[in-house]
Amino acid sequence: QVQLVESGGGSVQAGGSLRLSCVASGPSNGRNLLGWFRQAPGKEREGVAGVCSSGGRTYVADSVRDRFSISHDIALNTLYLDMYNLKPADTAMYYCAASVRRWAAPNCLEADFDYWGQGTQVTVSS
């Protein structure tokens, strides 16, 4: 069973930065894809960024590509989401997720994800 534990959320002012972390444990074949998703109150869940292959191929959603980046420290089993120039619209619960699937297309956030963390709240004030 894959377990995912996020941390790093908090309250920041617009223009600020945050780094989210997600420590993963459990079978490595349950973590072929890793992703960050977010959900704001009253809105659908949105894929933000993903690590789409064991070779480190990544995908970042168009809406945040100029401000967010994703990285994966394999040795530490930790996934990161670096967020810069945060905006009030980025306010949401951010979730780390893992999938047993492999995904050849560029946007692996379209895959079904099997395991989810408990989430970490990001609040950006104007």
Side-chain angles (χ1 to χ4, degrees):
Q1 181 81 0
V2 173
Q3 294 187 325
L4 304 164
V5 180
E6 304 100 330
S7 61
S11 297
V12 297
Q13 290 192 325
S17 301
L18 281 174
R19 169 175 257 203
L20 305 184
S21 299
C22 171
V23 178
S25 60
S28 59
N29 60 3
R31 296 180 264 144
N32 289 324
L33 304 177
L34 294 168
W36 286 102
F37 296 79
R38 67 184 182 184
Q39 188 165 21
K43 294 189 175 182
E44 292 189 355
R45 187 173 63 204
E46 173 189 17
V48 177
V51 175
C52 301
S53 74
S54 59
R57 177 171 57 90
T58 60
Y59 176 85
V60 181
D62 289 344
S63 59
V64 297
R65 187 166 295 157
D66 58 340
R67 299 184 296 116
F68 290 12
S69 65
I70 187 170
S71 59
H72 184 213
D73 189 322
I74 296 173
L76 296 179
N77 288 319
T78 302
L79 184 71
Y80 300 101
L81 183 69
D82 290 296
M83 306 184 293
Y84 305 98
N85 191 22
L86 283 160
K87 304 176 180 181
D90 296 317
T91 295
M93 185 72 80
Y94 283 71
Y95 297 92
C96 175
S99 175
V100 301
R101 293 155 185 80
R102 299 187 186 275
W103 200 257
N107 181 4
C108 63
L109 301 176
E110 296 175 341
D112 289 331
F113 280 73
D114 306 285
Y115 305 100
W116 295 83
Q118 81 288 350
T120 186
Q121 177 68 37
V122 172
T123 302
V124 185
S125 58
S126 58

